[in-house]
Amino acid sequence: MFPCLRLSSLCDLHTLQPIISQRSFICQQLVQRYCSSKADQYDLVVIGGGSGGLACSKEAAILGKKVAVLDFVDPSSQGTTWGLGGTCVNVGCIPKKLMHQAAILGHHLKEATSYGWTYPSNEPATHDWSVLVENVTNYIKSLNFGHRTALMDKNVQYINAKGSLLDGNRIMTINKKNEKKQIYADNIVIATGMRPKTIQEVPGMTENSITSDDIFWLNKPPGKTLVIGGSYVALECAGFLSGLGYDTTLMLRSIPLRGFDQQMADLVLRHLEHSGVHIVRGTPKSNTKQKDGRLEVTWQSGSDVYDTVLLAIGREANTKDLGILDIGVDVDQNTGHIVGGYGGESERTSIPNIYAIGDILHGRPELTPVAIQAGKLLARRLYGTSLEAMDYELIPTTVFTPLEYSCAGLSEEEAESRFPDEIEVYHSYYKPLEYSLPHSSSEHCYIKVVCLRQFPHKVIGIHITGPNSGEVLQGFAVAMRTDSLTLQVLQSSVGIHPTTAEELVKLHITKRSGLDPTVSEC
Ligand code: FAD
Ligand code: NDP
């Protein structure tokens, strides 16, 4: 009646594992025959239905394979939960960009009077948090629905259950009702992503704080908010909260945007301050809920009371409950990420038929397009005729702070350390035309292009702070991938006038020259 149990007692599956992984025909047949009904056997099972997992599973199904994708969301520490699509759709890129846009619109409303707009009451515009959250979350729910439909259309089996590995081919699934079921796969892709960290050692911090898993779904307005952290999530959240009119403080324990060009990071931080975010240096010591429900936070040199504390201190890999250590998947000791690179393939783990993509893969950029591209290419290599590997170099990115910062390639510091005394930096401050009528400050709008000093001055890094800098950079990042973007190519290109992107083809001042790179009018 339970052939699986009989098989397990006859044959130690841990011993069987390497043989199965080497695709021993007999063992695969045994496991398939005894452990699953035909319906539960797949060519590919993907664990994690986020950016990478969805892309990989759909591509494999397009290539004619029988595919299942498991997705399960553990509620956040504050009980927030959401649907299919992973971090980007539910608690990442999408709601973040919409709230960034909400803040930008508020700023434009203030500038609009310089362009002749008047408001009937002559009162400043007010913002309703609950309308924003309702519209954002409704949009997210439509995306959740769209992802489910897309899986159905492509014949991918969606299983709303948590998966863990029993061996190299068998996956235990547990659904919301705690019902367990084993499924079988020839190949397994782990795409389980990451979740926000909390600070357990600081009294009250975990229970009294929210994270990025909660902020976009918060029913009541956040009010006066302390954001703790100094990287992407912290700076972006502080930016849109302040832009929406909330008294916002950013608590930094060290430098902002570690790993990014520090001159650019400094401009981003100064612009945040300029737009109203208070900056506090330190680390929190306690977070205590007062009788009125407000939160008193103390740090080395002070204390204050907030309505909301948002922890944005990094993310941890979702590998803990996956059972992968037991079956011998190599995991980084410090971060819990899955180590890839086995067999010369970036996404292949220490078990040959188990792969990892997206945020869970050790040492790769934690960005949605990276997860999607890696997932698609992996499916094509596994089931198509393609040999194309994911190229993790030259990945462009944008930090969506009120003044966006976008970059591709090396920071000035990295370039200097890789090519000492061999780089030339072209730079310029610039004034976006749209800033002119409202007399908006352009003191933080800056472009830096890092080149090799040797002719033809290959471009190895581009950095821009400015409005819509993500839109501006995408095309330049494509050009960099051709390996033939040089300063000469930039300088001989004809700009599109009047745009901010044209500033990139007008650069002529080197840092070494000491000439003034500050803006001069058109
Ligand atoms: P995820 O999208 O996280 O998907 C993993 C899925 O697996 C989740 O649904 C999870 O619940 C599920 N899961 C976990 N364990 C199991 C299990 N055992 N069984 C079943 N299911 C499981 N990137 C950008 O490119 N641009 C941005 O602007 C941007 N903004 C961001 C803003 C924020 C606030 C955050 C937090 C991230 C942002 N990112 C952004 C990063 C981006 O969201 C991630 O890089 C991307 O979502 C990673 O995709 P993934 O497939 O690796 O994992
Ligand atoms: P990061 O790991 O990039 O940064 C964590 C930040 O928190 C650092 O500034 C760190 O400081 C600080 N920190 C860590 N521990 C503590 C502590 N105990 N007390 C106070 N501060 C602390 O995390 P993020 O969550 O910001 O971003 C995660 C990833 O998500 C990013 O790498 C990015 O790939 C992706 N993302 C992408 C976005 C985009 O594309 N626009 C937007 C948001 C996220 P220190 O430097 O001193 O260690």
Side-chain angles (χ1 to χ4, degrees):
M1 194 176 176
F2 297 108
C4 241
L5 289 182
R6 270 191 271 125
L7 177 71
S8 309
S9 55
L10 281 174
C11 170
D12 175 1
L13 282 170
H14 285 277
T15 318
L16 199 57
Q17 168 54 42
I19 312 168
I20 297 168
S21 303
Q22 285 157 23
R23 295 166 178 268
S24 155
F25 178 74
I26 299 167
C27 288
Q28 284 207 8
Q29 291 303 304
L30 272 174
V31 175
Q32 283 187 34
R33 183 159 164 217
Y34 290 115
C35 291
S36 331
S37 72
K38 188 100 182 120
D40 300 326
Q41 293 169 21
Y42 297 91
D43 296 310
L44 174 70
V45 168
V46 178
I47 308 181
S51 310
L54 290 176
C56 184
S57 58
K58 285 186 287 186
E59 196 68 17
I62 290 169
L63 292 165
K65 294 298 154 184
K66 185 176 172 192
V67 185
V69 60
L70 300 176
D71 192 60
F72 191 83
V73 180
D74 282 322
S76 75
S77 56
Q78 299 300 325
T80 313
T81 187
W82 50 87
L84 179 65
T87 304
C88 173
V89 167
N90 296 285
V91 285
C93 334
I94 299 297
K96 181 278 305 292
K97 180 81 189 288
L98 292 172
M99 292 204 173
H100 170 66
Q101 176 65 10
I104 299 274
L105 282 172
H107 183 70
H108 286 339
L109 283 174
K110 287 182 199 146
E111 293 182 335
T113 50
S114 310
Y115 286 89
W117 290 97
T118 51
Y119 306 109
S121 60
N122 247 355
E123 293 288 317
T126 56
H127 183 262
D128 188 335
W129 173 266
S130 59
V131 172
L132 176 64
V133 169
E134 190 183 342
N135 289 344
V136 167
T137 53
N138 280 342
Y139 179 62
I140 292 173
K141 286 171 193 163
S142 76
L143 295 179
N144 299 147
F145 180 76
H147 283 304
R148 291 182 74 142
T149 317
L151 290 180
M152 243 182 327
D153 285 351
K154 305 222 159 33
N155 254 332
V156 176
Q157 175 79 45
Y158 163 52
I159 304 174
N160 182 202
K162 195 164 180 167
S164 57
L165 300 187
L166 299 173
D167 57 44
N169 296 93
R170 288 184 308 137
I171 300 126
M172 176 61 81
T173 72
I174 307 180
N175 69 13
K176 263 188 228 152
K177 296 178 191 154
N178 234 6
E179 293 162 343
K180 295 186 179 179
K181 186 177 182 184
Q182 278 185 38
I183 57 175
Y184 171 93
D186 285 347
N187 286 311
I188 295 170
V189 171
I190 303 174
T192 47
M194 303 174 83
R195 292 297 288 268
K197 287 185 195 162
T198 56
I199 315 180
Q200 300 289 352
E201 61 279 12
V202 173
M205 196 50 87
T206 304
E207 53 275 33
N208 295 333
S209 306
I210 63 166
T211 66
S212 57
D213 279 358
D214 308 294
I215 183 74
F216 308 111
W217 295 78
L218 212 58
N219 286 325
K220 65 174 183 36
K224 181 177 169 184
T225 302
L226 174 67
V227 179
I228 303 175
S231 201
Y232 275 95
V233 176
L235 268 56
E236 290 183 343
C237 289
F240 72 68
L241 288 171
S242 169
L244 294 175
Y246 299 106
D247 182 348
T248 307
T249 300
L250 179 73
M251 185 182 283
L252 280 174
R253 74 169 178 185
S254 61
I255 56 168
L257 293 174
R258 186 179 296 285
F260 285 87
D261 187 293
Q262 282 302 298
Q263 184 191 4
M264 306 305 289
D266 183 57
L267 285 170
V268 171
L269 194 68
R270 282 200 279 133
H271 188 269
L272 267 183
E273 228 173 339
H274 171 85
S275 29
V277 175
H278 314 289
I279 310 285
V280 162
R281 300 277 174 175
T283 47
K285 297 288 167 214
S286 66
N287 178 348
T288 314
K289 192 169 253 178
Q290 299 183 321
K291 278 194 187 126
D292 61 1
R294 300 187 79 210
L295 305 165
E296 184 181 31
V297 178
T298 60
W299 59 94
Q300 290 92 340
S301 57
S303 70
D304 205 347
V305 177
Y306 301 93
D307 298 302
T308 301
V309 175
L310 171 62
L311 273 182
I313 55 158
R315 298 169 62 75
E316 58 196 358
N318 274 334
T319 39
K320 267 185 265 160
D321 305 330
L322 272 179
I324 53 176
L325 286 178
D326 300 338
I327 65 162
V329 174
D330 189 4
V331 167
D332 182 78
Q333 299 289 321
N334 297 321
T335 64
H337 285 86
I338 296 176
V339 177
Y342 284 85
E345 247 185 300
S346 297
E347 297 81 15
R348 190 177 229 160
T349 73
S350 48
I351 307 280
N353 66 317
I354 301 182
Y355 298 83
I357 52 168
D359 284 7
I360 202 69
L361 186 61
H362 182 57
R364 301 301 183 186
E366 292 153 11
L367 297 169
T368 279
V370 173
I372 292 175
Q373 182 87 334
K376 274 190 192 166
L377 292 179
L378 173 61
R380 286 177 199 162
R381 287 198 309 278
L382 283 173
Y383 303 118
T385 50
S386 168
L387 296 175
E388 190 181 345
M390 173 71 193
D391 181 357
Y392 290 97
E393 294 299 312
L394 281 179
I395 306 287
T397 185
T398 294
V399 183
F400 292 96
T401 32
L403 189 70
E404 293 179 9
Y405 164 40
S406 300
C407 60
L410 301 183
S411 65
E412 189 176 342
E413 296 91 336
E414 276 176 295
E416 191 55 72
S417 84
R418 280 202 214 175
F419 308 101
D421 295 324
E422 287 176 45
I423 64 162
E424 194 76 88
V425 176
Y426 285 80
H427 67 157
S428 175
Y429 287 91
Y430 68 99
K431 181 165 188 158
L433 179 64
E434 56 270 35
Y435 282 23
S436 53
L437 301 195
H439 302 289
S440 303
S441 164
S442 62
E443 69 176 301
H444 308 114
C445 295
Y446 180 69
I447 296 177
K448 166 152 84 172
V449 171
V450 185
C451 307
L452 291 181
R453 204 174 288 169
Q454 194 185 16
F455 187 82
H457 313 302
K458 184 178 167 189
V459 173
I460 54 174
I462 302 186
H463 303 263
I464 317 174
T465 46
N468 302 310
S469 71
E471 309 293 343
V472 171
L473 188 74
Q474 180 71 77
F476 291 96
V478 170
M480 276 179 86
R481 283 184 57 78
T482 64
D483 218 31
S484 50
L485 184 63
T486 62
L487 189 80
Q488 275 206 318
V489 170
L490 277 182
Q491 287 180 334
S492 64
S493 298
V494 176
I496 302 173
H497 189 67
T499 63
T500 53
E502 73 174 320
E503 301 297 334
L504 267 155
V505 300
K506 287 171 24 188
L507 290 173
H508 61 282
I509 295 176
T510 65
K511 262 195 174 179
R512 274 198 309 151
S513 72
L515 291 174
D516 183 8
T518 48
V519 61
S520 53
E521 295 297 328
C522 188

